[in-house]
Amino acid sequence: MSYPRGGPARRGGISGDGLRASDSRSESNREGAMEKKPRGAGDGQGGGEASGSVGGGLVDILPEALLVEVVGRVGLEAACSAAASCRALRGAAGAALSSVESLDLSAFTPTNTIANRILAGNGKLRNLTVNCSLLNDSAVAAIAKESLRELSLLKCSSFSPYLFVVIGERCTNLRSITLEMANLSGSEHFVICRKSIAHMFKGCDYLENLSLKFPLLAPGSVDFDSLVPVMPSTIKVLLLMPIANWQAKKLFPISSSLKTPFSDSLESLSLVLDIITDELVTFITGSLSNLLELCLEDNPGSEADLDNDLTNIGLQALGLCQNLTHLSLTRGKQGCSSTFRRVNDFGLLMLAEGCKQLQTIRLGGFSKVRDAGYAALLHSCKDLRKFEVSTASCLSDLTCLDLDEAATKITEVRLLSCGLLTSETAISLSSCTNLEVLDLSGCRSIADSGLSSISQLSKLTLLDLAGADITDAGLSALGNGSCPISSLCLRSCRRITNNGIASLLLGSGTINKTLAAFDVGNVPRISGRAVTLIAKNCERISSLCLRNCVLITDPCLETLGLDRHGSGKSTLRMLDLSYCTRLSRNFLRLFDPLVDLPLFRGLRWLGVGKNVLERRGGSPTVAEILERKPGLTICGSNCEMGCRNQCHPDVRTL
């Protein structure tokens, strides 16, 4: 269960990275949040009109156009905070929000009132992404704007079919729409919903990008084949989730007389299926002649039937799509142990021979493919930029030997849970001088020697070493290296100690200035000293995972929550404390905005785990914190950071 109360988003033209239009009052009193003095001392809550009177006098002499320009550049959080300080800035913030063209509220859960206040006066908005967990039909009028070209509605749970009718009538110029339905109450409701979506298609004659996601339903539950005939013929990008194999074969028939309206225009196809088969791949490649990107993901739940599974024949059919630039074939998500047992090196050799223009390759669950097959792709695809392989039990260090020409172009490598890999692979990849992303999570034989080589990659911004066999010596090498790492994961690297964190952050490198996301979860010897080092030395830290660090106590969190860089608030936006069992019963007081010295001003997401929610007698309670700090989401479901991979059907009740 996750409990958002107006949290943030972190991306976009103006993002919801801390909408502070709302204050520490209950939802029923939030209507005046953009216009009344905020209470409390949470992030952006300090200073009402009175406290900002001096600032108001100073800004009153500045040209209005200049104020609008400045406020429009600082982001949604700062704009709404400025609006609470004086009338001049309030007017500038209103003008800036009314003219913004791109708005991302994907990690922020606005109420109807807040959504209407942000969106109602904007007639120029072209790109909009909204987390709709708390929205219903009252927000439809504000969302459905004639000016929109791209619209993403995520985690929709309370809209009626009226939403789709209004979009079809008003948003006639839409080029891209994403609909993620978090809850469908019964088959009758879905039939009505389906008819309304069909009505929406009739009004969107220029639609090019369509994503329909029903993540809580099983493949085959959604009647996609009744929607496809009414989809616009202009569609170039299509994502359907989930869809059954038999449905997909009906959507992409080989016979030209049965082709869908968009068969000739479709360039990108993504399907989340119950099973990927040769027949399905043949249907897709035979009916979509202009296909450039293909993403197929399945999760059979149990070992697939060998007579009805993907084989080398399916890979050979893919090889006929010589214009493919992006290919993703994955199996085994959500703990599924099934793999593609009938595909071996020969299948990948045929794929490499036919699809030489591939720039992105993502393969998961190919348990019988060995180094020869993977190496063939690396060496045949001369324009390869991104390469990902997961759960490949036969992939070893030989795959990445002698990368030669490919090494200069590759920017992203992800080799996940490949048990045979050692530090030799890390050493080989150090020749990829343009590498920006390196994910070796689950490769338990990566040791300090590999980290010494990685530390010299001057463009590396993301490094994931979860479960690696590294020690403090490896972290010392990384801390003295030249990597501008902004995201580092050391989860389950159990040999690391506080001394290693000190070497990492106090070395001669710049990682303490660039690190924004840090994961040291499940590292048993990490204690309050390490947390204090992170708080004092990481200037940009915004995401910190400490889950299952059993030595963490209340005092070190106090240090972490302080503003140490003069911004008036902590830079920390997300904090995971799940299973930190030494925290006191009353540790939630550290997140209370009504104390004398408020901590964690700016925090948007807090993971506490079920163990904390089940405690009795603590003060304040989760409910009290959420009431006092509506910009905070407290998650008790042990989700990963930010609940990014969860689609909660109801997030409003405790």
Side-chain angles (χ1 to χ4, degrees), residues 369-573:
V369 176
R370 299 180 179 274
D371 296 309
Y374 296 117
L377 290 171
L378 284 170
H379 291 281
S380 297
C381 304
K382 303 299 183 182
D383 293 324
L384 190 63
R385 300 292 191 276
K386 300 180 180 180
F387 183 67
E388 176 178 331
V389 178
S390 60
T391 58
S393 56
C394 296
L395 185 148
S396 75
D397 297 329
L398 296 176
T399 295
C400 295
L401 285 179
D402 303 322
L403 290 177
D404 300 328
E405 184 179 346
T408 61
K409 294 186 177 181
I410 293 179
T411 61
E412 181 174 320
V413 174
R414 297 179 185 268
L415 304 174
L416 317 177
S417 300
C418 299
L420 297 181
L421 293 185
T422 71
S423 295
E424 292 300 319
T425 291
I427 294 172
S428 297
L429 291 173
S430 65
S431 63
C432 301
T433 54
N434 289 312
L435 199 62
E436 299 173 4
V437 174
L438 179 58
D439 189 344
L440 298 173
S441 56
C443 300
R444 300 186 180 278
S445 296
I446 302 295
D448 292 341
S449 59
L451 207 51
S452 298
S453 300
I454 293 171
S455 65
Q456 302 308 313
L457 293 170
S458 60
K459 296 183 179 180
L460 191 67
T461 59
L462 184 150
L463 178 61
D464 193 333
L465 297 168
D469 189 34
I470 59 175
T471 69
D472 295 345
L475 292 188
S476 178
L478 194 62
N480 292 315
S482 56
C483 303
I485 294 175
S486 60
S487 177
L488 177 62
C489 179
L490 302 175
R491 181 180 295 192
S492 299
C493 296
R494 304 180 70 84
R495 299 177 66 187
I496 291 174
T497 70
N498 294 330
N499 291 334
I501 302 299
S503 299
L504 175 71
L505 300 180
L506 302 178
S508 60
T510 60
I511 191 170
N512 58 346
K513 295 180 175 61
T514 60
L515 192 61
F518 197 15
D519 187 339
V520 287
N522 198 32
V523 180
R525 288 187 279 183
I526 291 295
S527 71
R529 179 184 167 216
V531 176
T532 301
L533 284 167
I534 294 169
K536 292 182 177 181
N537 294 284
C538 294
E539 300 176 1
R540 298 178 54 198
I541 193 71
S542 62
S543 174
L544 179 61
C545 177
L546 298 171
R547 69 163 51 201
N548 204 29
C549 291
V550 296
L551 300 181
I552 301 299
T553 58
D554 294 18
C556 67
L557 291 185
E558 294 181 16
T559 303
L560 185 64
L562 291 172
D563 166 32
R564 294 189 170 273
H565 307 291
S567 63
K569 60 186 177 183
S570 168
T571 59
L572 203 60
R573 294 292 179 269

Side-chain angles (χ1 to χ4, degrees), residues 146-180:
E146 185 178 354
S147 59
L148 283 176
R149 298 297 184 270
E150 298 181 14
L151 176 63
S152 296
L153 302 178
L154 309 179
K155 302 184 180 181
C156 302
S157 59
S158 301
F159 288 119
S160 74
Y162 172 69
L163 167 71
F164 310 115
V165 174
V166 175
I167 290 176
E169 292 176 352
R170 294 187 180 182
C171 306
T172 55
N173 293 312
L174 269 183
R175 301 307 196 267
S176 173
I177 184 167
T178 296
L179 296 175
E180 182 183 74

Side-chain angles (χ1 to χ4, degrees), residues 5-222:
R5 290 291 188 274
R10 297 178 299 143
R11 307 178 297 276
I14 286 185
S15 71
D17 188 14
L19 175 63
R20 302 311 302 166
S22 58
D23 55 24
S24 58
R25 294 163 292 189
S26 64
E27 183 174 328
S28 62
N29 292 326
R30 292 181 196 172
E31 292 190 18
M34 291 282 287
E35 301 168 357
K36 298 178 182 179
K37 174 183 175 181
R39 280 179 54 203
D43 172 39
Q45 295 173 334
E49 190 114 8
S51 62
S53 59
V54 175
L58 293 176
V59 299
D60 281 342
I61 64 174
L62 297 176
E64 181 181 359
L66 177 61
L67 290 177
V68 173
E69 177 70 17
V70 171
V71 173
R73 290 173 178 263
V74 297
L76 186 58
E77 174 183 5
C80 291
S81 295
S85 63
C86 67
R87 289 189 178 88
L89 288 176
R90 182 182 305 157
L97 289 175
S98 67
S99 60
V100 68
E101 295 186 358
S102 180
L103 189 60
D104 189 334
L105 305 174
S106 59
F108 165 50
T109 52
T111 61
N112 291 318
T113 299
I114 294 174
N116 277 291
R117 289 198 174 276
I118 294 175
L119 301 173
N122 191 316
K124 299 181 179 180
L125 195 63
R126 297 174 65 89
N127 306 322
L128 176 63
T129 300
V130 187
N131 183 330
C132 302
S133 299
L134 301 180
L135 301 183
N136 56 33
D137 289 350
S138 299
V140 169
I143 291 174
K145 296 182 177 296
E146 185 178 354
S147 59
L148 283 176
R149 298 297 184 270
E150 298 181 14
L151 176 63
S152 296
L153 302 178
L154 309 179
K155 302 184 180 181
C156 302
S157 59
S158 301
F159 288 119
S160 74
Y162 172 69
L163 167 71
F164 310 115
V165 174
V166 175
I167 290 176
E169 292 176 352
R170 294 187 180 182
C171 306
T172 55
N173 293 312
L174 269 183
R175 301 307 196 267
S176 173
I177 184 167
T178 296
L179 296 175
E180 182 183 74
M181 309 301 295
N183 190 27
L184 288 175
S185 54
S187 58
E188 181 179 354
H189 176 77
F190 174 69
V191 171
I192 299 173
C193 178
R194 183 188 65 200
K195 292 179 179 179
S196 301
I197 293 176
H199 180 83
M200 178 186 71
F201 290 151
K202 293 179 181 179
C204 301
D205 295 330
Y206 306 105
L207 197 62
E208 297 180 351
N209 188 327
L210 173 64
S211 297
L212 297 177
K213 303 178 183 180
F214 299 81
L216 301 181
L217 300 181
S221 301
V222 184

